[in-house]
Amino acid sequence: MRIDSHQHFWRYDLVKDAWISDDMKVIQQDFLPADLLPLLRENNIDGCIAVQADQSEAETHFLLQLAEEHDFIKGVVGWVDFRAENIKQRLKYFSQFKKLKGFRHIIQGEAADDFLLQEDFCNGIAQLEQHNFTYDLLIAPQHLKYAIAFVKRFPKQSFVIDHLAKPNFKEGDFTQWEKGIAELATYKNVVCKLSGMVTEADWNNWKQDDFSYCLDVLVANFGVDRLLFGSDWPVTLLAATYEQTCGIVESYFSTFPKEEQDKIWSGNAIKFYHL
């Protein structure tokens, strides 16, 4: 079995999806389960985790509806307003949905780099554990020092870093990223998705070797037990086909023992998201 731990669906809307700028025209369209399923089959992937792209409860319900209609969508990472006064009630409500595995907030879109440490946000995060919900950390290198303090506050909460925390592949400057990743990895309740690499690189000229150093760092710090494959489809289409995205991870781990490869392709995702 193989699991894609990170992909998106949307019905494209010019206003709702304003983040998809004109240099991203290739993804200015609808992307739905019927578009993804053939790609999964072609790449021997058995299921996926659908992750929110819009910050609304409507988005969460949209993904849950798709998951109800399509068995290959094994789980959903939705959105809820962690700063809301009624966050306890909202999480209790969402706990009824078996395929809802966790939540995410688009931290990189917030003006304050220390957004993760704001008290009202942390109050919401503190409610996740009782419902066994996970939390996806969408951050960039400048957020890592705050993410470390954030994770330290919640030692029993399950966290996963999206897209390697977006190292600077274009310029190859990994100093800040590597230091932050090494410290964040010391917290055993944190895992990391091997996703979103090509879109942080040169879209038109990336090559396999661009990612090797950062993958070395991740393996050295997280080990093979805390790394998960994710495609970030359809955003990845800005720079690569679905097959090429899979190929980056396949190529890097090709010399690893099969049992270790199986953890990265499925076992760790199954464990983390309780699939």
Side-chain angles (χ1 to χ4, degrees), residues 205-252:
N205 297 293
W206 64 267
K207 55 189 182 300
Q208 177 74 33
D209 288 347
D210 293 343
F211 313 113
S212 297
Y213 181 79
C214 290
L215 290 171
D216 287 346
V217 170
L218 292 170
V219 171
N221 285 281
F222 284 99
V224 296
D225 293 322
R226 292 193 287 150
L227 297 174
L228 297 65
F229 166 75
S231 69
D232 198 28
W233 180 93
V235 184
T236 189
L237 296 177
L238 296 170
T241 64
Y242 194 93
E243 183 179 10
Q244 287 174 317
T245 303
C246 293
I248 292 168
V249 176
E250 287 176 336
S251 177
Y252 179 84

Side-chain angles (χ1 to χ4, degrees), residues 37-171:
L37 184 56
L39 301 177
L40 297 183
R41 288 173 172 166
E42 289 166 11
N43 291 277
N44 300 313
I45 292 177
D46 304 281
C48 63
I49 301 293
V51 179
Q52 64 85 220
D54 178 55
Q55 304 212 124
S56 68
E57 287 194 8
E59 171 86 340
T60 306
H61 283 290
F62 166 66
L63 296 177
L64 286 170
Q65 182 63 39
L66 294 181
E68 185 176 328
E69 296 168 355
H70 301 276
D71 287 343
F72 72 87
I73 304 174
K74 303 301 183 184
V76 166
V77 174
W79 184 89
V80 70
D81 186 358
F82 288 110
R83 296 165 291 180
E85 292 183 0
N86 66 339
I87 183 62
K88 286 186 179 181
Q89 290 84 353
R90 299 315 298 151
L91 291 176
K92 183 177 180 181
Y93 163 76
F94 279 120
S95 68
Q96 69 182 291
F97 298 99
K98 185 178 179 181
K99 282 194 173 182
L100 185 57
K101 303 303 180 179
F103 293 92
R104 184 175 83 153
H105 187 88
I106 301 176
I107 301 300
Q108 64 177 23
E110 297 292 343
D113 284 349
D114 65 349
F115 180 87
L116 283 170
L117 301 180
Q118 294 182 6
E119 285 303 317
D120 54 355
F121 186 77
C122 287
N123 175 63
I125 297 295
Q127 317 301 321
L128 289 174
E129 183 192 339
Q130 63 183 295
H131 300 294
N132 213 24
F133 283 134
T134 62
Y135 182 78
D136 272 55
L137 277 162
L138 179 59
I139 55 175
Q142 70 268 24
H143 302 116
L144 280 165
K145 65 180 180 180
Y146 305 110
I148 292 162
F150 175 70
V151 164
K152 189 175 182 180
R153 292 182 64 160
F154 305 104
K156 296 182 179 180
Q157 174 60 43
S158 294
F159 294 105
V160 58
I161 303 166
D162 291 346
H163 314 329
L164 289 64
K166 300 199 168 188
N168 189 346
F169 292 116
K170 288 180 181 177
E171 296 179 10

